[in-house]
Amino acid sequence: MKFIDVNQLPDGSTVTADVCIIGAGAAGITVAGELDGTSQSVCLLEAGGTGPDDETQALYDLDVVGQPVRQHFMSRARYFGGTCNLWAGRSMALTPIDLEPRDWIPHSGWPLPYDELARYYPRAAAILRLPPVDRLAALERAPSLTPFERGVFAHGDLCPSVAVWGRTPLRFSTAYRPALRRSRNVSVYLNANVTDIRLNAAGSRVDTCRAQSLAGRTLDVSARRFVVACGGLETARLLLASRATQPHGIGNDFGAVGRYYMDHPRAVFGTVRLAAPQKLSLMLGLPVAGGMAQLGVRFSDALQRKARLLNSYVSLERYWSDSTAQMYQSMVHSAKIVLRKGHAGRRFPGSGVTLAKVPELIYLLAPRELLPHPIYRAARLARQRFGRGVGELTVVTFNEQMPNPESRVYLSEARDRFGMPRLVLDWRIRREETETLLRLHAALDAHLRQHGLGRLDHPPEGFSDRVYTDASHHLGTARMSVDPRQGVVTPDGAVHGVPNLFVAGSAVFPTAGHANPTWTIVALAVRLADHLKRTAA
């Protein structure tokens, strides 16, 4: 089938399909790809084109009234391929405790067992072109661990977290556009901004959705089933704004749409000073077959249960002096805006976006993410063989966030070019997140000191919420639940009370867990596609 630009269609055109997918990011393209070759006709709607456009991107503008997020940072991309056009490729899998109901964390627990999610991780890894899953499980016991790394994990209360990258971060746009162009049953519509989901008179089914282009064209899509795959922010906006039949928005009978908004509050805070320079193996990243891996540090499940803590993790990164940081900032600016190469891909467009503060920038764009994989492998081998080792490390912490109904997004009185209400983000961080961070730092510091490995120092001014930045992980605004009073979608992803409307992506996460979400987003999208195939009429 074709890629069709809505601007080239007559105004008021109509399309009919078995499945209509709204949003062509990681989740939407995965669902479409999994349905490719089936007997179901699929219509995939993308708000943008095949590349960035300022006018289209401006439709994502929102108002922030809670915890600040990074200003002038492009955390979402409104064009074919979605935000995976921007990401640096870090992938992590959730662990069993991330999905468990935890009595010390209100509203925790996923309505599906961990084994049900985990069986989709290998297929998701293949889609993301990550190293084979069976090789990752043994990393924490790898013989290449240095004595320092073994010493850190000898503490029974601390255990590894595993992050992995493919050889390059997958760009869904370039990776899967050719297959969709060849598809006989999937059609892709570009510049199709969905502004309304229309229910039948009883409010029990979706009949159509309306898409509009900035040039003034309209397109109505009729389908037997619809999938909203617009990310954690825009999914809530679309459901809340579609109010013709349900005055509070679709799936919002109990006020859950937009609530329980979570991210992974991130803090570049603290320095590990080693007792002697160390050549770290996995903590600073190690090339593996098919990509790269890095170990972080988190509390063991047993300690989390005993001390009633969240599941956060620490990543140790190379320490940069002020002068080195300034040089690095200049180098990254050139590499990212001029060359646009390496693991991080296009992240900072050349106009309208400024660079983040230097510690944040260094963390996001470490050499393992900037350099093409073969060069990184060679540089890493040379450093391990001939380098002196490192004596200081910067501590970067990702915090699991408690599901909080007061942390939310909602509709503004202001409107965009299409007359849709803009979104207001009221992100809230609670003391429990900071308590876990400080407890994790204290445990790591005590262990380093006890075993003569070093220490973890904090700046004299101490920690405050101003240290936090967002991680651009937009989670939980259409959470999964068995009880419609506690969430928005069923364990199969269908909106409660509207069985032919599904949600794919990070919006359905009931808890954030400790892990970056992309791998889980793709795993859940594969699972949803299997459900759509099994239940096809």
Side-chain angles (χ1 to χ4, degrees):
M1 304 293 282
K2 297 179 180 178
F3 274 56
I4 302 162
D5 187 338
V6 169
N7 288 320
Q8 304 304 315
L9 298 176
D11 187 32
S13 295
T14 61
V15 172
T16 300
D18 292 317
V19 179
C20 174
I21 303 168
I22 304 170
I29 290 176
T30 295
V31 175
E34 292 293 306
L35 294 178
D36 182 19
T38 69
S39 60
Q40 300 185 68
S41 58
V42 178
C43 169
L44 177 60
L45 302 178
E46 168 52 48
T50 56
D53 172 77
D54 288 344
E55 284 188 285
T56 300
Q57 188 65 34
L59 296 168
Y60 270 158
D61 288 349
L62 50 76
D63 303 315
V64 178
V65 299
Q67 175 76 23
V69 298
R70 286 171 289 180
Q71 292 185 344
H72 311 301
F73 184 83
M74 192 174 175
S75 65
R76 297 180 288 160
R78 198 176 174 103
Y79 59 98
F80 186 78
T83 306
C84 279
N85 289 307
L86 306 177
W87 76 320
R90 178 186 290 257
S91 298
M92 301 177 73
L94 293 171
T95 58
I97 197 170
D98 290 321
L99 272 66
E100 293 174 7
R102 292 166 275 175
D103 60 12
W104 63 98
I105 302 178
H107 311 292
S108 63
W110 288 48
L112 69 156
Y114 182 77
D115 288 349
E116 169 70 6
L117 172 63
R119 72 189 184 95
Y120 288 97
Y121 275 135
R123 286 170 64 184
I127 290 169
L128 289 167
R129 301 178 186 176
L130 299 176
V133 173
D134 56 356
R135 298 182 184 178
L136 302 179
L139 280 176
E140 59 197 68
R141 302 183 299 276
S144 55
L145 286 175
T146 66
F148 173 83
E149 291 168 330
R150 292 193 187 96
V152 169
F153 297 123
H155 189 325
D157 289 339
L158 300 177
C159 68
S161 64
V162 179
V164 63
W165 290 257
R167 292 179 63 86
T168 60
L170 187 76
R171 300 288 176 254
F172 275 76
S173 175
T174 54
Y176 293 112
R177 194 187 314 170
L180 292 177
R181 284 191 183 279
R182 294 191 300 268
S183 175
R184 295 184 177 182
N185 65 303
V186 180
S187 297
V188 180
Y189 289 80
L190 302 174
N191 297 305
N193 297 271
V194 175
T195 55
D196 192 21
I197 297 174
R198 298 173 174 178
L199 303 178
N200 61 10
S204 60
R205 291 183 63 82
V206 178
D207 282 338
T208 61
C209 71
R210 167 153 290 190
Q212 301 181 58
S213 76
L214 286 171
R217 299 289 197 276
T218 62
L219 173 72
D220 288 332
V221 180
S222 174
R224 292 191 303 109
R225 293 184 288 188
F226 292 78
V227 178
V228 179
C230 301
L233 296 176
E234 203 68 8
T235 290
R237 181 190 184 200
L238 183 55
L239 293 177
L240 290 170
S242 299
R243 296 178 289 192
T245 303
Q246 297 183 356
H248 301 294
I250 296 174
N252 199 36
D253 288 346
F254 298 97
V257 176
R259 292 191 181 271
Y260 304 96
Y261 176 79
M262 298 167 289
D263 201 313
H264 288 108
R266 179 173 54 197
V268 182
F269 179 74
T271 303
V272 167
R273 305 187 193 281
L274 306 181
Q278 300 282 341
K279 292 184 179 180
L280 302 184
S281 174
L282 273 164
M283 283 187 170
L284 289 179
L286 179 73
V288 297
M292 299 178 288
Q294 182 186 26
L295 293 188
V297 183
R298 68 181 184 94
F299 278 128
S300 68
D301 293 358
L303 193 280
Q304 289 181 53
R305 294 187 179 98
K306 178 181 177 181
R308 304 172 72 81
L309 297 169
L310 293 158
N311 193 14
S312 302
Y313 78 94
V314 156
S315 175
L316 299 179
E317 304 292 337
R318 290 182 177 276
Y319 176 82
W320 302 79
S321 67
D322 291 344
S323 60
T324 304
Q326 291 173 3
M327 293 171 59
Y328 187 85
Q329 182 184 30
S330 177
M331 181 272 288
V332 168
H333 191 282
S334 299
K336 301 309 298 168
I337 294 177
V338 179
L339 299 178
R340 301 182 185 275
K341 293 181 178 179
H343 274 264
R346 289 176 181 259
R347 186 80 179 199
F348 300 100
S351 62
V353 177
T354 60
L355 293 174
K357 62 183 180 180
V358 169
E360 180 82 1
L361 176 67
I362 289 172
Y363 170 65
L364 280 170
L365 302 176
R368 63 174 174 270
E369 294 165 334
L370 268 176
L371 296 175
H373 188 68
I375 298 175
Y376 170 73
R377 288 182 67 97
R380 180 66 169 70
L381 180 63
R383 183 183 294 128
Q384 284 295 101
R385 183 169 298 177
F386 304 112
R388 294 179 54 252
V390 295
E392 294 181 311
L393 297 162
T394 295
V395 180
V396 183
T397 308
F398 280 85
N399 293 282
E400 180 183 16
Q401 188 166 6
M402 297 187 79
N404 175 8
E406 299 307 312
S407 182
R408 58 185 290 224
V409 297
Y410 57 91
L411 299 181
S412 168
E413 294 298 322
R415 296 184 177 262
D416 69 11
R417 289 269 302 273
F418 295 116
M420 283 191 72
R422 282 167 54 117
L423 204 60
V424 180
L425 172 59
D426 186 2
W427 179 35
R428 305 205 184 175
I429 297 175
R430 299 173 62 166
R431 60 176 176 81
E432 288 86 352
E433 283 90 28
T434 299
E435 287 176 359
T436 295
L437 178 151
L438 296 175
R439 286 282 298 272
L440 182 54
H441 284 206
L444 180 57
D445 177 51
H447 184 62
L448 294 175
R449 292 175 187 270
Q450 179 182 352
H451 294 277
L453 298 172
R455 67 183 190 274
L456 194 164
D457 292 338
H458 284 158
E461 63 270 18
F463 189 86
S464 77
D465 285 355
R466 292 188 299 275
V467 176
Y468 284 127
T469 64
D470 64 288
S472 301
H473 301 161
H474 312 133
L475 310 166
T477 56
R479 68 198 317 256
M480 190 188 301
S481 69
V482 173
D483 184 347
R485 292 169 295 185
Q486 303 298 320
V488 178
V489 303
T490 70
D492 287 326
V495 173
H496 288 295
V498 189
N500 75 328
L501 177 61
F502 297 82
V503 176
S506 57
V508 306
F509 285 34
T511 51
H514 82 293
N516 294 45
T518 304
W519 197 353
T520 302
I521 289 170
V522 174
L524 289 174
V526 174
R527 179 175 179 267
L528 174 57
D530 279 359
H531 174 77
L532 295 174
K533 287 186 280 190
R534 284 195 309 271
T535 57

